[in-house]
Structure formats: C-alpha cells, structure tokens
Amino acid sequence: PAGAIRVITYNIHQGQCVETPSIGPVNLPVARPGTVKKIADQLNALGADIIMLQEVDKRAAGTGWHDQTARLADRLKMHLASGVAHEDAWGLWKIQANVVLSRHPIIATRVVEVSGAGDAEERRVAVIAHIDHPSIPGGVWAVATHLAAHDARRRVAGARLLAQVVSGLPGAVVVGG
C-alpha cells in the first residue's frame, strides 16, 4: 500500500565463519569467502527499503581489512549511514559499526552512544538516519543499534537512553537492533 515500507534488521556477526582460530593469545575471526556477496544477495532478495545492520566490520584483521559497510552499500545500490560502535585501542585490528542502508536518500545522520559511562562491555551506539522517503511526509527516521549483550542491567539502561533520544525525533521512527 502507499506509504508502506519494508524494513529489515540483521546482526551479521562480522560475516564470520563459526571457527575462530587462535594465534598465540589472540583469537582471530575468519571470514568465509564471498560472505558479503551472500549477505547482500539475501538482503536484496527481500526487497527492503531500509536495512539496519549490526556488527559490520569497517576494518578487521579477520576480514582482510575490507570495509563491509561500503561493500554492502555498493552491492545493494543503497545509501549508507554508519557509526563506529567498537574498535581496538589503536583502530588497527578491528573497527566495527552499526549501519543503516536505504533505497532513498539519507539527508541527516548522527550517532548516539547508548552504553553507560564506564561500561565494562564494548561501546554501544545507535546510528540515526533521517531518510527522505517519497511516500512518507517528512521522511522516516531509521535507528540501528546493538544493545549490551551480556548484562541485562546495561541493556535496559541503553534501551531507556535510546527511548529518550528517539522520542524527540519528529515524525515516523523505526528502531532495529
């Protein structure tokens, strides 16, 4: 129907295989050959207007330092908004992002931290993209996040913070993660 949008949210787990080999004290995730292409093909077949992804590598040793965010956007022919959610201390071995992909232009983007101060778990963010969707007056706000996984208290605190942020957005909002 007019004004309807199809939205997908998907944690791609860096496009890794199940095995995580150890090299001394370091565990390196290993990407399957063709994983980004397979993910893009599956997402493309679903015909979504908006795709929200979590755990997408912008650079990582285990994926050959490929920017999965840019590769997916290019393969899907979609507009891209991303925000760094996690990186190693130097930004050399791993940079991971949350992503919003859209068939329609993204006219504004911002990244909001949703992990608490001093959070012992990895940093958690929400990527907020304002999308100029032609059949929704004022467009739609797509919010991709990945809340704390191992601590319910932190997850609830992150969800509350996110609810405060999105409640101030004017118009249509969709949240995924």
Side-chain angles (χ1 to χ4, degrees), residues 32-165:
R32 294 181 205 140
T35 299
V36 169
K37 181 187 180 312
K38 289 176 188 175
I39 291 169
D41 289 347
Q42 290 171 351
L43 290 170
N44 195 44
L46 295 170
D49 296 292
I50 298 169
I51 301 172
M52 296 174 282
L53 302 173
Q54 302 80 40
E55 295 190 27
V56 185
D57 282 343
K58 286 185 73 73
R59 180 171 63 227
T63 56
W65 286 276
H66 296 293
D67 184 346
Q68 293 177 339
T69 65
R71 284 183 166 201
L72 285 165
D74 184 56
R75 283 194 170 275
L76 293 166
K77 295 178 178 39
M78 296 180 93
H79 300 273
L80 167 68
S82 71
V84 172
H86 175 70
E87 63 184 311
D88 65 79
W90 303 283
L92 297 173
W93 295 102
K94 182 176 202 133
I95 299 176
Q96 198 172 85
N98 294 332
V99 172
V100 174
L101 297 167
S102 172
R103 296 223 181 273
H104 305 287
I106 295 172
I107 53 179
T109 302
R110 74 182 219 214
V111 178
V112 176
E113 187 154 347
V114 293
S115 51
D119 195 338
E121 253 193 310
E122 66 187 56
R123 180 174 182 242
R124 303 296 175 154
V125 302
V127 177
I128 303 170
H130 190 196
I131 298 167
D132 185 16
H133 195 285
S135 60
I136 301 174
V140 62
W141 296 88
V143 183
T145 192
H146 186 243
L147 297 174
H150 304 293
D151 185 325
R153 184 179 52 79
R154 287 189 176 112
R155 187 171 41 256
V156 168
R160 285 187 177 133
L161 178 59
L162 186 59
Q164 288 175 348
V165 170

Side-chain angles (χ1 to χ4, degrees), residues 14-44:
Q14 303 104 46
Q16 296 176 14
C17 68
V18 176
E19 298 175 34
T20 304
S22 293
I23 300 175
V26 178
N27 291 327
L28 292 177
V30 178
R32 294 181 205 140
T35 299
V36 169
K37 181 187 180 312
K38 289 176 188 175
I39 291 169
D41 289 347
Q42 290 171 351
L43 290 170
N44 195 44

